[in-house]
Amino acid sequence: MTTENQAGNPEPEHSPSEKTKAAPKVKKTFDPRASVIQIHPEGERIHPKKAEGRFAKLRIAAVLATQFVFYVIPWFNWSGRQAVVFNIPERHFFIFGLSLGMGDLIYLALLLMICAFGLFWWTTIAGRLWCGYSCPQTVYTEIMLWIDNLVEGDRNKRLKLEKSPWNFTKIRIKATKYLLIFLVCAWTGITFAGWFVPIRQFVPDLFTGVAGGGAMFAAAFYGFMTFFFAHIMREKVCLHMCPYARFQSAMFDKDTLIVSYDAERGEPRGARKKTVNKEEAGLGDCINCAMCVQVCPVGIDIRNGLQYQCIGCAACIDACDEIMDKMGYPRGLIRYTTESALEHEYSEKDIKKRLLRPRVAGYGAVLAVVIAAFLVGLSTRKMVEVDILKDRGVMVRENAKGWLENAYSLRIINNSEKEQLITASVKGFDEIALTGLPEGGIKVAPRETVTLPVQVSTIPEYADKGSHPIEFIFQYRESGASDGKPVVLEEDATFIGE
């Protein structure tokens, strides 16, 4: 018997048994992506579930520590002034006992280098721990999530509230939440401005309307940006705006400690009751509960492998460990580990031995050198600096005594927070005189720069044609202090003869 195919041509008819024998057998393979449950519809706001566990506690500690520094440190006083303030109008920075002027920008450059190489070094060792625990975007997003949980409840309640119609209850809840968010953002902006102006004066001036326009703008701008990025944008910053997410892979290698899903142990995933024997059912440890996705603040599924959006917060580890405990399975299906350890190139116990590798050592060496340069520079930094500028308008002249005279300008910088009394002398000839100085020495106020014209003269026989080396000697001590040896500075100069 024959049948016709779609083209109308006859073809032989086979029995069902013959069809079965003729059809090739296709081996079925498990595709983990086929079991993905969509938790966060694309384009909608992510409402992460609150994670609880050891890493959640670490995040709370990191948030409290960083915000203590930000909110509280400006209120500390040190030697009669604000302990830390970056006074931009006066071009002077104070960091507890350290006073830095515009001439000390080299230390700011070194500090930025320390931060950069410290970030590179730590990222090579343990991935994006900065992003997950200390990044301002993460910290303030976490604070906003705390407010969400406090006022609206956990994830399911928030989702239900979002879908509910507007009524008095919803308006009351939303109004309460936004009031708390406004207070946090406003105080954050005020505190930010307080790092640049004396905060104890700025806060009452702000509420009485007499604060400076620049400081008020800084407070309003930073407060608004906190609201915009931490509440409105949230995970969008990490997903689409943060450049660090894009180039972090350049610092990763197979020995970098990252949040990873153990697919070998977890697959094939599938739901089951606690009483089901997973080996008999042919299942892995993952029960496909999707809790790791629900708690993720950027809405990714870590089971799909490492993704640039992952901020390394380890919320998925806490959620998975909790599920493993309930199922009676070992913890660590999702854990901090390395790619090499997952591929069994070495055991988990040997991860620490891989810390000393060329990339880590290189970043660490550069970081150590920059830190050493920073500390040595600060420890040897002069509290008083003197620049000697030759008056090019008058090379040499004869004074009333008939001596040859050169004119100079002394530029004295007082980097300290105390008034300094400075005396000066000069040497270089058997007969030499320094004139133009005030009686009793030069008084230089704290953090001030004084420019003073002086003259150096000598007998013509000592200073023939050409230039002659001379040396200015400065001695200083705090104004009014009589105990202790004065600090001596020696600066070279030249004297032009006839």
Side-chain angles (χ1 to χ4, degrees), residues 129 182 247 295 313 371 387 414 425 454 478:
L129 289 189
F182 171 79
F247 68 76
V295 299
C313 66
I371 291 176
D387 293 328
N414 182 8
S425 59
V454 297
E478 292 181 9

Side-chain angles (χ1 to χ4, degrees), residues 78-326:
W78 185 279
S79 299
R81 57 154 175 86
Q82 187 169 316
V84 180
V85 62
F86 303 105
N87 196 328
I88 294 178
E90 295 183 8
R91 298 178 179 84
H92 218 94
F93 302 157
F94 301 98
I95 306 174
F96 293 96
L98 186 62
S99 174
L100 301 173
M102 293 304 294
D104 300 310
L105 289 180
I106 181 63
Y107 300 110
L108 176 61
L110 289 173
L111 187 60
L112 292 176
M113 290 177 64
I114 290 173
C115 294
F117 282 105
L119 182 62
F120 298 161
W121 177 73
W122 188 250
T123 300
T124 303
I125 294 175
R128 297 180 64 179
L129 289 189
W130 160 259
C131 295
Y133 295 87
S134 300
C135 173
Q137 177 64 28
T138 300
V139 167
Y140 287 107
T141 298
E142 188 77 10
I143 292 174
M144 296 302 163
L145 288 174
W146 290 352
I147 296 175
D148 285 353
N149 277 278
L150 175 66
V151 179
E152 297 181 350
D154 202 359
R155 180 175 183 272
N156 293 334
K157 292 183 179 179
R158 295 202 302 272
L159 290 174
K160 184 178 179 181
L161 182 67
E162 290 294 323
K163 296 177 182 178
S164 66
W166 284 95
N167 51 35
F168 176 77
T169 301
K170 185 173 182 177
I171 293 174
R172 175 181 58 80
I173 293 174
K174 291 290 184 180
T176 303
K177 184 182 79 169
Y178 278 101
L179 175 61
L180 292 177
I181 289 175
F182 171 79
L183 292 176
V184 170
C185 293
W187 192 246
T188 300
I190 292 171
T191 303
F192 175 78
W195 283 79
F196 300 93
V197 296
I199 194 170
R200 292 173 182 263
Q201 178 183 348
F202 172 65
V203 171
D205 287 352
L206 179 66
F207 288 101
T208 55
V210 296
M216 291 179 66
F217 173 79
F221 179 78
Y222 196 81
F224 171 76
M225 295 309 290
T226 301
F227 171 78
F228 180 71
F229 284 119
H231 178 67
I232 301 298
M233 297 296 291
R234 289 195 182 176
E235 72 281 350
K236 301 297 189 298
V237 175
C238 301
L239 294 175
H240 308 298
M241 298 176 64
C242 178
Y244 180 60
R246 270 36 179 205
F247 68 76
Q248 61 167 331
S249 58
M251 291 171 279
F252 279 20
D253 56 33
K254 295 184 69 174
D255 297 311
T256 300
L257 200 64
I258 54 178
V259 177
S260 303
Y261 167 67
D262 191 345
E264 182 179 328
R265 173 185 157 187
E267 304 299 339
R269 70 184 72 152
R272 83 294 302 260
K273 293 182 179 180
K274 183 178 180 179
T275 55
V276 172
N277 188 303
K278 61 180 181 178
E279 286 80 11
E280 293 179 359
L283 296 173
D285 283 1
C286 179
I287 66 171
N288 206 26
C289 63
M291 289 299 297
C292 55
V293 185
Q294 293 186 39
V295 299
C296 180
V298 293
I300 66 170
D301 190 341
I302 194 63
R303 297 173 297 177
N304 294 334
L306 180 64
Q307 297 144 73
Y308 78 86
Q309 299 96 328
C310 177
I311 61 174
C313 66
C316 55
I317 297 180
D318 284 334
C320 188
D321 283 347
E322 184 178 357
I323 296 298
M324 293 296 103
D325 290 343
K326 292 180 179 179

Side-chain angles (χ1 to χ4, degrees), residues 396-399 401-405 429 431-432 457-465 468 495-498:
V396 61
R397 63 191 174 195
E398 185 177 331
N399 63 13
K401 293 173 58 178
W403 287 21
L404 297 181
E405 185 177 83
F429 302 110
E431 295 287 340
I432 191 169
S457 57
T458 187
I459 298 174
E461 288 79 6
Y462 292 151
D464 53 4
K465 292 183 178 180
H468 304 269
F495 186 93
I496 306 300
E498 289 184 311

